[in-house]
């Protein structure tokens, strides 16, 4: 199974400042079709998760452009350019290249300092 | 608008069974891969099972293989998860997903005597 490792697990951030979350996979996430199936989800307190970014860097509809995804191979990053109060929650990366199983990272809790 | 509404959760004794349902609307259900993902209290996301468009292909996490069965009724736009031989460690909120781009609100399953 592909193991997904996120860091940090807790990220206190000042409003208006940038934030960055790292996600590393135990194997390359490049699929034989040429795509890299790395997805980021946001779970706000008390809510269901929602997808933010798919295939490394593609933002979902309605996701603010302060969120961006990057990376390749086994190293990936989610960046928030300027953290807002509504960004508080837990962020998960997930791989969908080598399945089953689809595997998630442990989650990174973003909170306001 | 995509809507996924889970039901069927509740309190069950160890060794018991439950069947979860997920009523889907707002998209072409028969053309969609569907998943179940669970989240134990205070924990992260764990993929449970997937089913392809016509139900001819399914997969399961090792932790539920042989005990859980996923199915879909394309005529009723409904996804199911039959859960047998339930254990305390199956206690979680169970989410229904359309190919990871849309999530339901979840239904809580509690396995306890």
């Amino acid at each position: 199974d592909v193991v997904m490792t996120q860091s940090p697990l807790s990220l206190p951030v000042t409003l208006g400042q940038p934030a960055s979350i790292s996600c590393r996979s135990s194997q390359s996430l490049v699929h034989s079709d040429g795509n890299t199936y790395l997805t980021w989800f946001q779970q706000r307190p008390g809510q269901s998760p929602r997808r933010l970014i798919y295939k490394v860097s593609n933002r979902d509809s309605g996701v603010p452009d302060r969120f961006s995804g990057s990376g390749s191979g086994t190293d990936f990053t989610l960046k928030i350019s300027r953290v807002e109060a509504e960004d508080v929650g837990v962020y998960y990366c997930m791989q969908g290249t080598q399945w089953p199983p689809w595997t998630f990272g442990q989650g990174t809790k973003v909170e306001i300092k | 608008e995509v809507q996924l509404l889970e039901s069927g959760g509740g309190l069950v004794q160890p060794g018991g069974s439950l069947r979860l349902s997920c009523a889907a609307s707002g998209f072409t259900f028969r053309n969609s891969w569907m998943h179940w993902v669970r989240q134990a209290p205070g924990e992260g996301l764990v993929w449970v099972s997937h089913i392809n468009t016509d139900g001819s292909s399914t997969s399961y996490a090792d932790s539920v293989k042989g005990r859980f069965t996923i199915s879909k009724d394309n005529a009723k736009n409904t996804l199911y998860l039959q859960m047998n031989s339930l254990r305390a460690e199956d206690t979680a909120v169970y989410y229904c997903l359309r190919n990871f781009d849309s999530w339901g609100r979840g239904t809580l399953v509690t396995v306890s005597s």
Side-chain angles (χ1 to χ4, degrees), chain A residues 7-112:
Chain A
S7 63
L9 300 185
S10 178
L11 184 56
V13 186
T14 301
L15 286 173
Q17 293 300 301
S20 180
I21 300 170
S22 171
C23 175
R24 290 184 172 161
S25 57
S26 60
Q27 302 171 40
S28 173
L29 297 188
V30 180
H31 194 274
S32 57
D33 66 7
N35 291 306
T36 299
Y37 295 98
L38 186 284
T39 304
W40 289 97
F41 299 94
Q42 175 195 59
Q43 187 174 30
R44 291 171 171 154
Q47 295 187 12
S48 301
R50 72 155 171 160
R51 194 177 71 176
L52 293 178
I53 288 173
Y54 60 97
K55 287 194 280 186
V56 180
S57 59
N58 296 274
R59 262 193 314 275
D60 272 274
S61 175
V63 174
D65 60 8
R66 64 179 180 274
F67 289 93
S68 64
S70 63
S72 63
T74 60
D75 287 346
F76 304 93
T77 302
L78 176 69
K79 292 183 179 177
I80 310 173
S81 59
R82 293 173 304 278
V83 171
E84 298 189 6
E86 66 179 17
D87 300 335
V88 165
V90 182
Y91 292 79
Y92 297 91
C93 62
M94 185 203 75
Q95 70 83 22
T97 294
Q98 298 188 37
W99 57 268
W102 285 260
T103 48
F104 292 88
Q106 316 97 300
T108 295
K109 186 173 184 179
V110 172
E111 57 185 12
I112 305 300

Side-chain angles (χ1 to χ4, degrees), chain A residues 1 39 41 43 47-51 60 92 94 99-106, chain B residues 33 35 37 39 43-47 50 59 62 95 99-101 103-106:
Chain A
D1 298 356
T39 304
F41 299 94
Q43 187 174 30
Q47 295 187 12
S48 301
R50 72 155 171 160
R51 194 177 71 176
D60 272 274
Y92 297 91
M94 185 203 75
W99 57 268
W102 285 260
T103 48
F104 292 88
Q106 316 97 300
Chain B
W33 282 35
H35 298 260
V37 167
Q39 185 171 35
E43 300 294 322
L45 303 172
V46 177
W47 171 81
H50 113 277
S59 63
D62 285 346
Y95 295 102
N99 209 25
F100 294 104
D101 63 11
W103 296 61
R105 293 191 173 189

Side-chain angles (χ1 to χ4, degrees), chain B residues 18-57:
Chain B
L18 277 179
R19 188 176 83 156
L20 306 183
S21 299
C22 171
S25 61
F27 64 100
T28 307
F29 183 72
R30 64 180 180 274
N31 292 345
S32 298
W33 282 35
M34 301 294 294
H35 298 260
W36 290 98
V37 167
R38 69 185 182 185
Q39 185 171 35
E43 300 294 322
L45 303 172
V46 177
W47 171 81
V48 173
S49 181
H50 113 277
I51 189 166
N52 70 345
T53 55
D54 63 1
S56 60
S57 176

